[in-house]
Amino acid sequence: MPTSLHRSVCPYDCPDACGLLVTVEEGRAVAVAGDPEHPFTRGALCPKMNRYQDTVHHPERLTTPLRRTGAKGEGAFAPVSWEEALGEIAERWRRIIAAHGAEAILPYSYAGTMGLVQRNAGHAFFHRLGASKLDRTICSPAKSEGWALVMGGTPAPHPDACATSDLILLWGINAAATQVHSLHAVREAKRKGAQVWLIDTYAHATAPLCDRVVLVRPGTDGALALGILHLLDRMKLCDEAFLAAHVQGAAELRERILPDYPPERVEAITGVPAATVRELAEAYGRARDPHLRPGNGISRYGNGAMTLRTLACLPAFVGAYAKPGGGAFASTSTGGAFPMRLIEREDLLPGPVRTLNMNHLGWALNELRDPPVASLYVYHSNPAVVAPDQNAVLRGLAREDLFTVVHERFMTDTALFADLVLPATSSLEHSDLYRAYGSYCVQRARPAVAPVGESRSNLEVFQALARAMGFTEAVFSQSADNLIDALLAEPHPWRAGLDEGRLAAGFPVELDPGGGPDLRFQTPSGKVEILNPRDPEPLPRFLPPHSAGDPHPLQLVTAPAVQGLNSTFHEREELRRRMGRMALRVNPAEAAARGLADGGPVTAFNGLGEVAFTLEVTDKVPAGVAVAEGVWWRRFAPGDRTVNALTSQRLTDRGGGSTFYDNRVEVRAGWSGVLPVLRGHS
Ligand SMILES: Nc1nc2c(c(=O)[nH]1)N[C@H]1C(S)=C(S)[C@@H](COP(=O)(O)OP(=O)(O)OC[C@H]3O[C@@H](n4cnc5c(=O)[nH]c(N)nc54)[C@H](O)[C@@H]3O)O[C@H]1N2
Ligand SMILES: Nc1nc2c(c(=O)[nH]1)N[C@H]1C(S)=C(S)[C@@H](COP(=O)(O)OP(=O)(O)OC[C@H]3O[C@@H](n4cnc5c(=O)[nH]c(N)nc54)[C@H](O)[C@@H]3O)O[C@H]1N2
Ligand code: SF4
Ligand SMILES: [Mo]
C-alpha cells in the first residue's frame, strides 16, 4: 500500500499553530501526529488534533454545492453544480447591486482557518465589488489595543523566555485548554522552583498546575492590578531606576490613581481578600524575574482595554521588562512580518464604503437600512452560534429576503439558513502559509490529499466568483502558491536571517523580532507609556464592567472548552463525548439558594434570551458566577439555543471588541417553556 508522510500545520485559531506530520495512504490521511522538529510543538498535539483525519474524512463533510429547497433553517437542500451555484450568486448580486448598490452585500468571516492566504482570500474580491467592509473584532482587539496603549509595537519576548522566571502569573488564561504548548516553559520554570499563580474567575483545567489560585470577581482585574501597584509602592518594592529611565507617567499614576486602591477597597471591588492581595503583591515585588501572561478572556468586557493597560504597568514597576524572562507575554504580532496588502488589496476599492462591526451582525441584519443587508456571504465562520445575541442573529438569518451564501466544510447552524451552501476544502487539501500568535513560528504547507468531493478552497471560490462577476485583475488568477511566493519575496527585518530553503521545504522556522530585552520600547516616547498623552484617558484607572448595573444575580463566564475550539470540532463524536453535556456550572451555595440539583435541567435567562443547560454544582466556581464552557452546536444542546443567546452586542471600551463575558443571568429549575417558545423565534 503506497504510504507517504507530509508536513502540515494546524490551521485553527489557536496561538500554537502546531506542526503536523500527516500519514497518507491511498489518498486518505490515516494518521496525524505532532512534528518533533517543530520548536514549539515538540512532537505533541492537543487531543482535538490527534485524530484530525477524522475531521478531514468525516462522513458529514459537504461534498457538493447545495440549494435550499425548504424553509430557512430547516435543513432541506438539493445538490447543484458549481456552475449553477456560481451563476446564481452572480445573478442575484447583480440584481442587488442594481437595486441597492454593492454595500448591500456583507461578507462575514473570521478564523476557521488562520492561513494568511485562505483566511484573507475574500478581501480582494469584496473590495473590488465595493461590498460593505467587516470589522473583524469578535476575538480580542481590546487586548491588543489596551496593551499597545502602554507598550506600543514592542514585540513580545520569545514564548519560552518565562522558563527563567521564579514567579509566573497566569492571568485570565486557561492555558491547558487554549495554548497547551505555552505550558512547556511554565513547567520548566516550575521544575527550577518557580511559583505559578492563576488569577481567574473559576478553578479550571489549568488550576491543578498552579501553586495558588486567586478567584476574582469577573471584570474587576483592573482594580486588582492597581491594588498590587499601590502595595508595591507602599512596601518600597518598585524598581526606581527602571521607572526613572524607561517609564513615562509612573509619578502621575502614583499621585493621581494608586492612593485610591488600598487592599480593603480592592477586596470590596474584586472579592479577593485583602490579605491575598498583600501576599500577591509581596510575591510579585520580591520575585527575581516575575513573568505575567495575560489571556484574552479579561479583555472581553466593557472595560477590557483598560484592564490590559493596568496589567501592562505591573512589569514596569518592578523592572521586569528588562529581565531575561521578558516581564510579560501578551501575544506575538507575526502577521506584520508579511506584506498583507498584496492579498487584501484595499487599492481595488471603488471608493469609500461603510464598515460594519461583526459583533453587530444581529443589529445589521434586522435594523440596518440605506442600504439594508440584502445578501450575506459567510466563509470560515459560524455566526449562528459564535456571534453575540443569538436571538437577533437567528432572526436576521431567517429573513426571507436575505440572500445568504455559506462556504463551509460542515452543515453548521449558519449553513442551515443558507440559500446556497458551497463545500470547502480542509487545510490538508490546499496550500497556505501559517504564522503563530503564541510563538514566532512560520510554516508553509502544501496539499497532502486531494479535495474531498467537489470541495474548493476559499481562494478558488473567490477566483471563480471574480470570473463570474467579470473581474479581470491579475490577483484573481494567482494560485495560492503564487501568492505565498509574493508574500515571501518582499523582505522584512524579522525574516532577515530566516532559512528560506527550510521554509520552502515545508519545515517550521522562527521569525526573529530583534535581540533580547533592548530597552528601546517601540512607543513614540521610547518608554513604557503608563501615561499615554494621545489617549482621551491618559492614565490607566479602574472602569467598572458593563454588567455592573445589571440586576441579574450571576455573572456569566462563557469560557473556552478543552475539547472544542469555539464551534469547531463538534463534528467529532469522541470529543463531544469527552465534553459531556452542555453544562452550566455554579457554586453549591447558588444551587441551594434556588433549590437546584446537580445534574438537573435548568434554564439560564436574562433580557436577551433563555438557554437550557444541565446544571453542574461545583465549588470550583465561586458564588456570584455561572460558567458555561464551549460554543455548542444547536443540535447537541438540550434546548434550541446555545450560550450566545445570553450575550450582548455591546462593544469593548477600545477596539470595537466583543464582550462575551460581560453579561449577567438568573437561573431557574427545568427546561419547561424554553423549547417551544424559542422555536417560534426562527
Ligand atoms: N481548547 C480550546 N482552545 C482554544 C479555543 C477554544 O475555544 N478551546 N479558542 C481559541 C481562540 S479563538 C482564542 S482567542 C484563544 C484564547 O482563547 P480565550 O477564549 O481568550 O481563552 P483564554 O485566553 O484562555 O482566556 C479565557 C479565560 O479567561 C478567564 N476570565 C474570564 N473573565 C475573566 C476576568 O474577568 N478575570 C480573570 N482573571 N479571568 C477571566 C476565563 O475564566 C477563562 O479561564 O484560544 C484558542 N484556543
Ligand atoms: N460565548 C462565546 N462566544 C464566543 C467565544 C467565547 O469565548 N464565548 N469566543 C469567540 C472567539 S475568541 C472567536 S475567535 C470566535 C470564533 O468564531 P469563528 O471564527 O466563526 O470560529 P469557529 O466556530 O471555529 O468556526 C469556523 C468555521 O470555519 C469552518 N472552516 C474551517 N476551515 C475552513 C476553510 O478553509 N474554508 C471555509 N470556508 N470554512 C472553513 C469550520 O468548519 C467552522 O465551522 O467565536 C467567538 N464566540
Ligand atoms: S494546540 Fe492548538 S495549534 Fe496545536 S494542534 Fe491543538 S488546536 Fe492546533
Ligand atoms: Mo478568538
Side-chain angles (χ1 to χ4, degrees):
M1 204 186 293
T3 299
S4 54
L5 198 61
H6 300 255
R7 283 209 146 69
S8 192
V9 186
C10 175
Y12 293 119
D13 186 358
C14 171
D16 295 7
C18 289
L20 311 178
L21 285 180
V22 183
T23 308
V24 174
E25 270 176 21
E26 294 186 336
R28 284 174 75 91
V30 294
V32 176
D35 181 354
E37 292 200 46
H38 193 284
F40 198 58
T41 309
R42 300 175 176 94
L45 299 180
C46 68
K48 309 183 290 295
M49 280 300 277
N50 264 327
R51 296 196 56 86
Y52 185 40
Q53 69 272 22
D54 294 348
T55 289
V56 172
H57 300 293
H58 196 285
E60 290 177 26
R61 275 285 299 274
L62 298 169
T63 54
T64 66
L66 300 169
R67 182 189 283 132
R68 179 167 65 91
T69 55
K72 289 212 175 191
E74 186 181 287
F77 292 96
V80 289
S81 69
W82 271 102
E83 204 186 334
E84 275 179 273
L86 294 165
E88 187 171 328
I89 297 169
E91 191 216 307
R92 291 288 298 261
W93 280 357
R94 283 201 185 92
R95 288 211 310 254
I96 287 170
I97 293 168
H100 301 285
E103 278 182 318
I105 300 166
L106 178 65
Y108 191 99
S109 72
Y110 198 64
T113 174
M114 290 291 283
L116 291 175
V117 171
Q118 303 296 350
R119 181 180 189 190
N120 301 295
H123 288 47
F125 174 78
F126 286 114
H127 286 153
R128 172 70 177 76
L129 191 66
S132 285
K133 284 202 222 175
L134 186 74
D135 227 354
R136 290 175 170 79
T137 47
I138 202 166
C139 184
S140 49
K143 179 183 183 184
S144 350
E145 291 211 12
W147 195 258
L149 280 170
V150 179
M151 300 301 288
T154 309
H158 192 279
D160 292 338
C162 72
T164 66
S165 171
D166 57 336
L167 176 77
I168 298 174
L169 304 187
L170 300 176
W171 198 313
I173 185 169
N174 187 355
T178 59
Q179 27 195 308
V180 189
H181 297 87
S182 70
L183 292 176
H184 182 87
V186 175
R187 289 202 176 91
E188 195 180 321
K190 257 182 93 93
R191 273 195 296 276
K192 292 187 274 185
Q195 288 275 307
V196 180
W197 288 54
L198 174 68
I199 301 163
D200 212 292
T201 56
Y202 71 111
H204 48 55
T206 311
L209 180 87
C210 303
D211 300 287
R212 295 289 302 265
V213 176
V214 176
L215 299 186
V216 62
R217 204 168 276 150
T220 66
D221 302 78
L224 182 57
L226 294 169
I228 297 172
L229 292 166
H230 172 106
L231 287 168
L232 290 175
D233 210 17
R234 243 209 272 174
M235 295 189 285
K236 307 237 172 315
L237 291 175
C238 304
D239 184 336
E240 297 302 336
F242 182 87
L243 286 173
H246 301 295
V247 178
Q248 167 174 296
E252 289 85 344
L253 192 79
R254 279 172 156 157
E255 199 181 295
R256 290 187 226 154
I257 308 289
L258 297 187
D260 293 340
Y261 295 92
E264 297 69 27
R265 173 146 189 261
V266 170
E267 173 173 339
I269 299 173
T270 64
V272 179
T276 308
V277 182
R278 281 193 201 94
E279 279 181 274
L280 176 53
E282 194 151 355
Y284 190 70
R286 296 202 190 283
R288 166 180 43 79
D289 187 356
H291 185 89
L292 167 70
R293 225 172 210 277
N296 297 350
I298 41 175
S299 75
R300 297 192 187 113
Y301 289 85
N303 60 6
M306 193 57 108
T307 297
L308 266 298
R309 270 176 91 178
T310 59
L311 260 64
C313 299
L314 290 168
F317 268 72
V318 295
Y321 287 126
K323 295 184 176 168
F329 183 97
S331 77
T332 58
S333 41
T334 43
F338 301 92
M340 290 308 295
R341 64 172 202 290
L342 302 179
I343 309 264
E344 293 174 1
R345 296 300 302 269
E346 290 253 350
D347 57 299
L348 295 177
L349 277 168
V353 295
R354 72 181 175 191
T355 300
L356 301 178
N357 186 306
M358 70 190 299
N359 298 305
H360 288 160
L361 181 66
W363 166 82
L365 292 179
N366 295 299
E367 318 283 340
L368 189 63
R369 302 283 174 269
D370 296 327
V373 179
S375 177
L376 180 71
Y377 184 97
V378 180
Y379 54 117
H380 70 117
S381 184
N382 190 5
V385 289
V386 305
D389 201 353
Q390 185 178 47
N391 283 316
V393 172
L394 295 182
R395 201 162 58 243
L397 288 174
R399 266 175 48 201
E400 259 317 311
D401 63 335
L402 177 72
F403 175 60
T404 303
V405 182
V406 177
H407 185 207
E408 247 302 339
R409 304 174 312 166
F410 293 101
M411 185 55 75
T412 58
D413 286 297
T414 309
L416 286 169
F417 283 88
D419 295 280
L420 286 165
V421 181
L422 308 175
T425 44
S426 80
S427 64
L428 294 191
E429 300 150 50
H430 55 239
S431 289
D432 218 328
L433 178 65
Y434 297 88
R435 52 98 198 174
Y437 59 95
S439 84
Y440 285 100
C441 289
V442 180
Q443 192 173 354
R444 182 170 186 163
R446 294 185 177 80
V449 298
V452 167
E454 296 174 22
S455 63
R456 294 190 187 178
S457 72
N458 292 357
L459 183 70
E460 289 169 315
V461 175
F462 286 113
Q463 296 190 333
L465 285 170
R467 282 191 296 277
M469 295 303 291
F471 302 162
T472 53
E473 286 81 358
V475 68
F476 298 122
S477 52
Q478 283 175 301
S479 68
D481 284 302
N482 292 156
L483 289 167
I484 295 167
D485 290 339
L487 287 177
L488 294 172
E490 206 170 290
H492 184 278
W494 291 16
R495 301 206 315 274
L498 201 122
D499 185 339
E500 292 187 19
R502 254 181 102 68
L503 180 62
F507 287 89
V509 293
E510 279 185 282
L511 299 171
D512 180 4
D518 78 356
L519 296 178
R520 278 169 293 110
F521 292 93
Q522 292 185 18
T523 56
S525 64
K527 296 184 173 188
V528 176
E529 296 197 332
I530 287 181
L531 181 121
N532 184 324
R534 299 170 306 284
D535 195 79
E537 291 250 23
L539 280 175
R541 63 185 175 106
F542 173 65
L543 296 177
H546 283 155
S547 52
D550 184 332
H552 292 88
L554 299 169
Q555 184 86 21
L556 177 68
V557 173
T558 68
V562 175
Q563 314 289 350
L565 196 146
N566 303 317
S567 77
T568 294
F569 289 114
H570 287 251
E571 73 277 4
R572 296 258 296 281
E573 205 201 327
E574 93 279 13
L575 293 173
R576 284 201 314 272
R577 225 181 305 119
R578 281 199 248 174
M579 235 182 280
R581 291 173 295 183
M582 189 173 117
L584 188 74
R585 298 198 215 166
V586 300
N587 186 271
E590 300 290 2
R594 293 165 179 81
L596 304 172
D598 185 43
V602 293
T603 299
F605 60 95
N606 59 20
L608 293 164
E610 307 204 333
V611 180
F613 290 95
T614 299
L615 191 73
E616 209 180 294
V617 179
T618 167
D619 57 12
K620 291 180 177 165
V621 174
V625 174
V627 174
E629 288 187 350
V631 179
W632 290 64
W633 292 8
R634 289 167 75 206
R635 65 196 236 216
F636 302 123
D640 198 29
R641 291 294 184 273
T642 50
V643 69
N644 280 319
L646 301 167
T647 61
S648 92
Q649 300 180 48
R650 284 176 304 192
L651 303 179
T652 50
D653 48 339
R654 296 278 187 282
S658 58
T659 55
F660 285 116
Y661 303 163
D662 201 352
N663 301 278
R664 299 178 72 84
V665 294
E666 176 53 299
V667 182
R668 64 167 187 260
W671 292 338
S672 63
V674 177
L675 307 182
V677 171
L678 291 179
R679 283 233 164 84
H681 283 226
S682 61

